[in-house]
mmCIF file of all heavy atoms in Angstrom:
data_model
loop_
_atom_site.group_PDB
_atom_site.id
_atom_site.type_symbol
_atom_site.label_atom_id
_atom_site.label_comp_id
_atom_site.label_asym_id
_atom_site.label_seq_id
_atom_site.Cartn_x
_atom_site.Cartn_y
_atom_site.Cartn_z
ATOM 1 N N VAL C 169 -6.347 7.484 -6.346
ATOM 2 C CA VAL C 169 -7.446 7.873 -7.228
ATOM 3 C C VAL C 169 -8.691 7.193 -6.670
ATOM 4 O O VAL C 169 -8.612 6.086 -6.122
ATOM 5 C CB VAL C 169 -7.160 7.453 -8.693
ATOM 6 C CG1 VAL C 169 -7.031 5.956 -8.836
ATOM 7 C CG2 VAL C 169 -8.228 7.972 -9.661
ATOM 8 N N SER C 206 -17.764 -9.809 -6.199
ATOM 9 C CA SER C 206 -17.050 -10.679 -7.147
ATOM 10 C C SER C 206 -16.849 -9.938 -8.467
ATOM 11 O O SER C 206 -17.575 -8.997 -8.788
ATOM 12 C CB SER C 206 -17.857 -11.950 -7.394
ATOM 13 O OG SER C 206 -19.052 -11.601 -8.080
ATOM 14 N N THR C 212 -20.540 -3.249 -15.693
ATOM 15 C CA THR C 212 -20.298 -2.066 -16.527
ATOM 16 C C THR C 212 -19.085 -1.324 -15.981
ATOM 17 O O THR C 212 -18.934 -1.205 -14.757
ATOM 18 C CB THR C 212 -21.518 -1.107 -16.466
ATOM 19 O OG1 THR C 212 -22.698 -1.834 -16.820
ATOM 20 C CG2 THR C 212 -21.358 0.082 -17.403
ATOM 21 N N ILE C 214 -17.062 2.398 -16.450
ATOM 22 C CA ILE C 214 -17.137 3.732 -17.059
ATOM 23 C C ILE C 214 -15.877 4.513 -16.702
ATOM 24 O O ILE C 214 -15.435 4.511 -15.550
ATOM 25 C CB ILE C 214 -18.385 4.500 -16.548
ATOM 26 C CG1 ILE C 214 -19.658 3.817 -17.064
ATOM 27 C CG2 ILE C 214 -18.355 5.957 -16.995
ATOM 28 C CD1 ILE C 214 -20.944 4.446 -16.554
ATOM 29 N N GLN C 230 -11.686 -5.536 -17.458
ATOM 30 C CA GLN C 230 -12.515 -6.093 -18.533
ATOM 31 C C GLN C 230 -12.190 -7.572 -18.739
ATOM 32 O O GLN C 230 -13.088 -8.389 -18.942
ATOM 33 C CB GLN C 230 -12.281 -5.313 -19.840
ATOM 34 C CG GLN C 230 -13.266 -5.675 -20.941
ATOM 35 C CD GLN C 230 -13.134 -4.748 -22.128
ATOM 36 O OE1 GLN C 230 -12.042 -4.505 -22.635
ATOM 37 N NE2 GLN C 230 -14.267 -4.226 -22.594
ATOM 38 N N GLU C 265 9.824 18.618 -28.132
ATOM 39 C CA GLU C 265 10.127 19.771 -28.992
ATOM 40 C C GLU C 265 9.539 21.051 -28.380
ATOM 41 O O GLU C 265 10.189 22.100 -28.331
ATOM 42 C CB GLU C 265 9.528 19.520 -30.385
ATOM 43 C CG GLU C 265 9.911 20.561 -31.417
ATOM 44 C CD GLU C 265 9.210 20.312 -32.749
ATOM 45 O OE1 GLU C 265 8.851 19.158 -33.050
ATOM 46 O OE2 GLU C 265 8.992 21.291 -33.477
ATOM 47 N N LEU C 284 7.355 9.125 -20.337
ATOM 48 C CA LEU C 284 6.054 8.875 -20.986
ATOM 49 C C LEU C 284 5.891 7.385 -21.309
ATOM 50 O O LEU C 284 4.843 6.795 -21.071
ATOM 51 C CB LEU C 284 5.928 9.702 -22.273
ATOM 52 C CG LEU C 284 5.732 11.210 -22.078
ATOM 53 C CD1 LEU C 284 5.803 11.919 -23.426
ATOM 54 C CD2 LEU C 284 4.403 11.504 -21.402
ATOM 55 N N GLU C 289 3.054 0.218 -19.679
ATOM 56 C CA GLU C 289 2.726 -0.998 -18.909
ATOM 57 C C GLU C 289 1.702 -0.717 -17.816
ATOM 58 O O GLU C 289 1.003 -1.616 -17.363
ATOM 59 C CB GLU C 289 3.986 -1.622 -18.312
ATOM 60 C CG GLU C 289 4.663 -0.777 -17.275
ATOM 61 C CD GLU C 289 5.840 -1.516 -16.620
ATOM 62 O OE1 GLU C 289 6.274 -2.537 -17.179
ATOM 63 O OE2 GLU C 289 6.308 -1.039 -15.566
ATOM 64 N N ARG C 290 1.572 0.555 -17.444
ATOM 65 C CA ARG C 290 0.613 0.902 -16.394
ATOM 66 C C ARG C 290 -0.813 1.104 -16.934
ATOM 67 O O ARG C 290 -1.722 1.411 -16.165
ATOM 68 C CB ARG C 290 1.066 2.165 -15.663
ATOM 69 C CG ARG C 290 2.373 1.979 -14.905
ATOM 70 C CD ARG C 290 2.920 3.339 -14.537
ATOM 71 N NE ARG C 290 4.015 3.255 -13.572
ATOM 72 C CZ ARG C 290 4.611 4.313 -13.040
ATOM 73 N NH1 ARG C 290 4.216 5.526 -13.368
ATOM 74 N NH2 ARG C 290 5.597 4.178 -12.193
ATOM 75 N N THR C 296 -11.225 -2.951 -24.838
ATOM 76 C CA THR C 296 -12.074 -2.691 -26.006
ATOM 77 C C THR C 296 -13.164 -1.758 -25.499
ATOM 78 O O THR C 296 -13.768 -2.026 -24.450
ATOM 79 C CB THR C 296 -12.715 -4.008 -26.489
ATOM 80 O OG1 THR C 296 -11.644 -4.890 -26.828
ATOM 81 C CG2 THR C 296 -13.613 -3.771 -27.683
ATOM 82 N N PHE C 299 -18.272 3.907 -27.065
ATOM 83 C CA PHE C 299 -18.232 5.360 -26.871
ATOM 84 C C PHE C 299 -19.468 5.906 -26.168
ATOM 85 O O PHE C 299 -20.595 5.468 -26.423
ATOM 86 C CB PHE C 299 -18.061 6.078 -28.212
ATOM 87 C CG PHE C 299 -16.711 5.830 -28.844
ATOM 88 C CD1 PHE C 299 -16.594 5.605 -30.211
ATOM 89 C CD2 PHE C 299 -15.562 5.825 -28.067
ATOM 90 C CE1 PHE C 299 -15.353 5.372 -30.782
ATOM 91 C CE2 PHE C 299 -14.318 5.592 -28.629
ATOM 92 C CZ PHE C 299 -14.216 5.369 -29.988
ATOM 93 N N GLU C 304 -26.189 13.005 -23.822
ATOM 94 C CA GLU C 304 -27.088 11.864 -23.652
ATOM 95 C C GLU C 304 -27.117 11.465 -22.169
ATOM 96 O O GLU C 304 -26.420 12.043 -21.353
ATOM 97 C CB GLU C 304 -26.624 10.694 -24.523
ATOM 98 C CG GLU C 304 -26.681 11.038 -26.007
ATOM 99 C CD GLU C 304 -26.334 9.862 -26.920
ATOM 100 O OE1 GLU C 304 -25.838 8.837 -26.408
ATOM 101 O OE2 GLU C 304 -26.552 9.996 -28.136
ATOM 102 N N TRP C 335 -26.558 14.617 -7.498
ATOM 103 C CA TRP C 335 -25.208 14.092 -7.342
ATOM 104 C C TRP C 335 -24.418 14.338 -8.627
ATOM 105 O O TRP C 335 -24.976 14.276 -9.726
ATOM 106 C CB TRP C 335 -25.241 12.568 -7.090
ATOM 107 C CG TRP C 335 -25.710 12.193 -5.714
ATOM 108 C CD1 TRP C 335 -25.991 13.039 -4.670
ATOM 109 C CD2 TRP C 335 -25.953 10.857 -5.244
ATOM 110 N NE1 TRP C 335 -26.380 12.311 -3.571
ATOM 111 C CE2 TRP C 335 -26.369 10.972 -3.892
ATOM 112 C CE3 TRP C 335 -25.850 9.600 -5.814
ATOM 113 C CZ2 TRP C 335 -26.692 9.863 -3.120
ATOM 114 C CZ3 TRP C 335 -26.157 8.489 -5.048
ATOM 115 C CH2 TRP C 335 -26.572 8.622 -3.707
ATOM 116 N N VAL C 376 -25.828 20.901 -6.985
ATOM 117 C CA VAL C 376 -25.150 19.667 -6.576
ATOM 118 C C VAL C 376 -25.131 19.572 -5.048
ATOM 119 O O VAL C 376 -24.651 20.479 -4.372
ATOM 120 C CB VAL C 376 -23.705 19.632 -7.127
ATOM 121 C CG1 VAL C 376 -22.944 18.431 -6.589
ATOM 122 C CG2 VAL C 376 -23.729 19.595 -8.661
ATOM 123 N N LEU C 397 -11.795 27.667 -7.530
ATOM 124 C CA LEU C 397 -10.875 27.226 -8.595
ATOM 125 C C LEU C 397 -10.693 28.322 -9.642
ATOM 126 O O LEU C 397 -9.578 28.582 -10.102
ATOM 127 C CB LEU C 397 -11.404 25.944 -9.258
ATOM 128 C CG LEU C 397 -11.320 24.681 -8.400
ATOM 129 C CD1 LEU C 397 -12.022 23.516 -9.092
ATOM 130 C CD2 LEU C 397 -9.868 24.317 -8.096
ATOM 131 N N GLY C 419 9.361 30.067 -20.755
ATOM 132 C CA GLY C 419 8.336 29.289 -20.058
ATOM 133 C C GLY C 419 8.944 28.424 -18.964
ATOM 134 O O GLY C 419 8.360 28.268 -17.893
ATOM 135 N N THR C 421 11.790 28.984 -17.206
ATOM 136 C CA THR C 421 12.178 29.822 -16.063
ATOM 137 C C THR C 421 10.944 30.211 -15.261
ATOM 138 O O THR C 421 10.942 30.174 -14.027
ATOM 139 C CB THR C 421 12.910 31.087 -16.562
ATOM 140 O OG1 THR C 421 14.021 30.682 -17.339
ATOM 141 C CG2 THR C 421 13.393 31.940 -15.401
ATOM 142 N N CYS C 466 15.042 29.586 -28.276
ATOM 143 C CA CYS C 466 13.796 29.450 -27.519
ATOM 144 C C CYS C 466 13.013 30.755 -27.411
ATOM 145 O O CYS C 466 13.495 31.829 -27.748
ATOM 146 C CB CYS C 466 14.054 28.811 -26.164
ATOM 147 S SG CYS C 466 15.185 29.741 -25.154
#
Side-chain angles (χ1 to χ4, degrees):
V169 62
S206 67
T212 306
I214 293 177
Q230 190 172 50
E265 187 184 334
L284 288 173
E289 66 175 15
R290 295 165 168 184
T296 300
F299 293 139
E304 297 185 348
W335 287 354
V376 174
L397 289 173
T421 303
C466 59

